Amino acid sequence: EIVMTQSPATLSVSPGERATLSCRASQSVSSNLAWYQQKPGQAPRLLIYGASTRATGIPARFSGSGSGTEFTLTISSLQSEDFAVYYCQQYNNWPTFGGGTKVEIK
Amino acid sequence: EVQLVESGGVVVQPGGSLRLSCAASGFTFDDYTMHWVRQAPGKGLEWVSLISWDGGSTYYADSVKGRFTISRDNSKNSLYLQMNSLRTEDTALYYCAKGSRLLLLDYFDYWGQGTLVTVSS
């Protein structure tokens, strides 16, 4: 099983600031990495796939980068609706998720 | 518009059985691999199982292997999860999720709202 590790567990950011979330794989997953956003009481929503391709309707302030074992999700200027939990998921092998990063208001 | 609507979640005793359903609409159901993903209360996401477009291939997480069975009925645009020998650690919100392509290993581009399974005596 490929273990996905996200850091930090919690990120406190002020609106308008930049947020950088990290995801590390225990072995290479190539670019087979997706990011999801989950708000309380809602299902996860796909943000990024292929490590860097935004899903349909996702604003340009969300960007993904990385390959192999190290990945980053960047939110360039946090809006109020972006405060949520973010998960990475690899699909190079049987799917596994990271433990999540909660982005909270500072 | 893609819609996935899960049902069947209830409170069940340890050792019991349950069948979850997912009704799909808004896309050509038999063009895609389908998945179940679960989330224990206050916890992260865990992939549970997948089924290929034609039902010919199924795979399971080790945590449920031998106890859960995934199936689909393409004529009814429906996905199922038969859950046997339930344990307290199976308590979770169960999501039906659509794979983005025919590939088995994939990301999930649409999710249902989930159905809650509680295993408790």
Side-chain angles (χ1 to χ4, degrees):
Chain A
E1 173 183 314
I2 298 176
V3 177
M4 306 301 291
T5 303
Q6 291 186 242
S7 61
T10 304
L11 187 61
S12 298
V13 186
S14 299
E17 288 189 339
R18 181 186 192 93
T20 302
L21 288 66
S22 295
C23 175
R24 174 177 292 178
S26 61
Q27 63 189 77
S28 176
V29 298
S30 187
S31 294
N32 297 313
L33 191 285
W35 290 94
Y36 301 88
Q37 176 193 67
Q38 187 178 34
K39 297 179 181 179
Q42 296 186 16
R45 177 176 72 144
L46 176 67
L47 297 176
I48 300 283
Y49 62 92
S52 61
T53 302
R54 277 190 303 277
T56 303
I58 301 304
R61 65 180 181 272
F62 291 91
S63 63
S65 63
S67 66
T69 61
E70 300 284 343
F71 301 89
T72 300
L73 174 69
T74 301
I75 312 172
S76 60
S77 175
L78 270 158
Q79 306 298 301
S80 57
E81 62 265 31
D82 300 336
F83 292 96
V85 179
Y86 293 83
Y87 294 96
C88 61
Q89 176 237 330
Q90 66 79 22
Y91 49 99
N92 198 60
N93 205 316
W94 304 119
T96 50
F97 293 87
T101 291
K102 181 180 181 181
V103 177
E104 64 176 24
I105 299 175
K106 187 175 183 179
Chain B
E1 180 194 4
V2 172
Q3 285 199 323
L4 299 168
V5 180
E6 303 94 335
S7 61
V10 292
V11 178
V12 62
Q13 291 190 337
S17 297
L18 198 55
R19 188 195 199 203
L20 305 183
S21 300
C22 171
S25 61
F27 64 102
T28 305
F29 185 67
D30 55 9
D31 274 354
Y32 297 94
T33 297
M34 295 295 295
H35 303 256
W36 288 99
V37 178
R38 68 184 180 183
Q39 187 170 35
K43 303 296 184 182
L45 299 165
E46 179 189 18
W47 172 78
V48 173
S49 182
L50 70 82
I51 186 167
S52 61
W53 67 275
D54 62 351
S57 297
T58 59
Y59 294 92
Y60 302 90
D62 287 345
S63 57
V64 307
K65 200 172 295 182
R67 300 187 299 121
F68 290 10
T69 302
I70 191 171
S71 61
R72 64 192 295 163
D73 185 338
N74 288 344
S75 68
K76 296 182 179 179
N77 288 351
S78 292
L79 176 70
Y80 306 101
L81 186 67
Q82 177 67 42
M83 310 166 69
N84 297 332
S85 302
L86 282 160
R87 306 167 179 168
T88 55
E89 56 263 36
D90 295 319
T91 293
L93 189 62
Y94 284 75
Y95 292 104
C96 167
K98 174 184 167 293
S100 74
R101 303 160 294 182
L102 270 175
L103 298 178
L104 296 180
L105 302 181
D106 206 357
Y107 56 92
F108 316 116
D109 57 359
Y110 290 94
W111 300 62
Q113 285 303 304
T115 187
L116 182 62
V117 173
T118 304
V119 184
S120 173
S121 54

